[in-house]
Amino acid sequence: MQTPIPTLFMRGGTSRGPFFRESDLPADVATRDRVLLAVMGSPDRRQIDGLGGANPLTSKVGIVRPGSRPGVDLDFLFAQLQPEKDTVDTTPNCGNMLAAVVPFALETGMVRAQGEESTFRVLTLNTGMACDITVQTPGGRVSYEGDARIDGVPGSSAPIKINFLDTAGSVCSGLLPTGKVRDVIDGVEVTCIDNGMPLVIFRAADVGRTGYESVAELNADTELKARIERLRIACGHAMGLGDVSAKNYPKMTLVAPPRDGGSLTTRSFIPHVCHDAIGVLAAVTVGTACVLRGSITEGIAVVPEGLARTVSVEHPTGEFSVELELDPADPQNVTRAALLRTARLIMRGEVMVPASIWKGDKQ
């Protein structure tokens, strides 16, 4: 016997995965996690017995419910799974999957369109981060077709605007969890920063690389990956995160001077696999480092002047632009971060899990 669970399979930004109503999943967290592992087919490198795409970017799940606080329209819980692990991590955020939350809620009747455009406030339960998300809703229905393009996704789609309201210290104690804009940890100069995603940013040259290597080259570079993991473990302690050996954060980002007209070049590990692009909140956090005096990006990043700045973060498959606004009284304080994403409903239906894992009761 198998248990059917209603789901919409969606792309959010450069990620994808199944989205669920919270009420359609087990209330017990341990049972819910076993269900999600079965849904995705983890642990298995190919995820052959589930919906996972054999990559961390396609091993993601969205769980949505009506807002539980005044002024909040929707609550969103993101779950990161890994192909070869039996872990379900709901600690970090995912700005890419976030782009599909409002379309999912509109498709399922959780919220109603407001006109040609619809804006809803979403609270990410992982870290308590809030944002306003605007989608195109002509005729009262979600529009997925349009002229907006994001690198890492073929073709064009309707734009989805995300305006982050409070991203600093999403998981860590603050924007700069070590209290410094630059540290030397395990012999490497780094900036430890969290403006939506805990990151360790360091110069590619400081670990003997150019920063322009391909994703395949970096994923095959076992020496570099071992070096980065050693640094990650040390930085985790310095950032107040404890032992991060079994955690998906902090993410590790190599930086180098731009070479395609952007602000700087990046190569991101999430945390052990090199990202084909860069995560939304990782891009926001890298962009923030670029506007902070004294950070590791100083002398590398090319950033415009002024209180409103657009930082173009180059990545292996293109670039990601982030709009940042600085506090006039304290230019080291970023007051707003905004960006553009796209999303698409790929499939709707029911995903089946063995009844031995869950019989469909809500306990």
Side-chain angles (χ1 to χ4, degrees):
M1 296 290 292
Q2 296 201 88
T3 302
I5 307 173
T7 185
L8 299 187
F9 196 73
M10 305 192 72
R11 176 182 64 78
T14 54
S15 298
R16 64 168 168 80
F19 275 72
F20 299 96
R21 285 178 173 267
E22 183 189 64
S23 58
D24 289 330
L25 292 171
D28 175 69
V29 172
T31 306
R32 181 203 69 193
D33 288 354
R34 288 195 297 271
V35 166
L36 295 183
L37 288 165
V39 165
M40 301 306 284
S42 294
D44 172 56
R45 180 176 57 84
R46 296 182 299 161
Q47 293 178 311
I48 198 68
D49 202 34
L51 297 177
N55 187 287
L57 299 181
T58 53
S59 299
K60 300 184 176 188
V61 174
I63 302 171
V64 185
R65 71 185 186 194
S68 57
R69 298 186 192 176
V72 172
D73 299 297
L74 297 163
D75 291 346
F76 169 55
L77 183 70
F78 163 67
Q80 175 71 66
L81 288 82
Q82 299 289 342
E84 297 184 71
K85 296 182 179 180
D86 63 354
T87 57
V88 179
D89 190 355
T90 58
T91 309
N93 295 318
C94 177
N96 274 303
M97 291 289 274
L98 184 62
V101 171
V102 170
F104 170 82
L106 287 161
E107 293 281 2
T108 56
M110 205 174 293
V111 294
R112 295 192 175 203
Q114 301 164 337
E116 294 297 296
E117 282 191 344
S118 298
T119 301
F120 297 95
R121 182 153 295 179
V122 177
L123 176 68
T124 301
L125 298 175
N126 303 67
T127 64
M129 178 191 71
C131 61
D132 289 335
I133 301 178
T134 302
V135 302
Q136 306 298 303
T137 51
R141 297 177 64 88
V142 185
S143 174
Y144 296 105
E145 297 185 9
D147 298 326
R149 296 178 181 273
I150 59 173
D151 288 329
V153 178
S156 64
S157 306
I160 296 176
K161 301 172 187 174
I162 304 178
N163 185 16
F164 293 104
L165 303 177
D166 51 356
T167 51
S170 68
V171 175
C172 300
S173 59
L175 178 68
L176 299 170
T178 70
K180 300 177 182 177
V181 74
R182 188 184 299 211
D183 294 276
V184 177
I185 298 176
D186 197 29
V188 179
E189 275 197 317
V190 299
T191 290
C192 298
I193 184 170
D194 177 4
N195 199 23
M197 178 64 67
L199 283 192
V200 177
I201 305 174
F202 54 102
R203 291 180 293 253
D206 288 346
V207 289
R209 304 302 185 273
T210 66
Y212 309 121
E213 291 86 357
S214 70
V215 170
E217 287 175 318
L218 291 174
N219 279 329
D221 192 338
T222 54
E223 179 187 357
L224 175 65
K225 290 166 73 173
R227 179 69 185 93
I228 289 176
E229 181 62 5
R230 192 167 71 247
L231 176 62
R232 192 176 80 90
I233 298 299
C235 289
H237 289 290
M239 296 168 78
L241 299 171
D243 181 5
V244 298
S245 56
K247 296 177 181 177
N248 290 306
Y249 58 83
K251 308 295 174 68
M252 308 297 287
T253 301
L254 291 73
V255 295
R259 66 174 186 179
D260 292 314
S263 299
L264 84 169
T265 294
T266 61
R267 296 293 186 268
S268 295
F269 284 80
I270 54 171
H272 308 120
V273 176
C274 186
H275 201 313
D276 289 320
I278 189 171
V280 169
L281 291 162
V284 169
T285 302
V286 168
T288 301
C290 289
V291 301
L292 295 182
R293 293 188 308 274
S295 87
I296 201 69
T297 67
E298 199 166 69
I300 294 177
V302 179
V303 182
E305 296 295 323
L307 295 175
R309 306 184 186 184
T310 297
V311 178
S312 172
V313 180
E314 297 179 1
H315 56 74
T317 52
E319 71 87 37
F320 193 127
S321 292
V322 180
E323 297 177 12
L324 299 169
E325 287 188 12
L326 309 183
D327 184 348
D330 179 12
Q332 292 286 85
N333 180 31
V334 174
T335 58
R336 187 181 76 93
L339 47 88
L340 180 145
R341 293 278 86 186
T342 66
R344 187 171 78 87
L345 172 61
I346 298 172
M347 186 182 70
R348 67 169 78 241
E350 296 174 332
V351 62
M352 312 301 290
V353 298
S356 59
I357 293 174
W358 187 46
K359 292 184 173 65
D361 58 272
K362 300 301 178 183
Q363 300 305 313

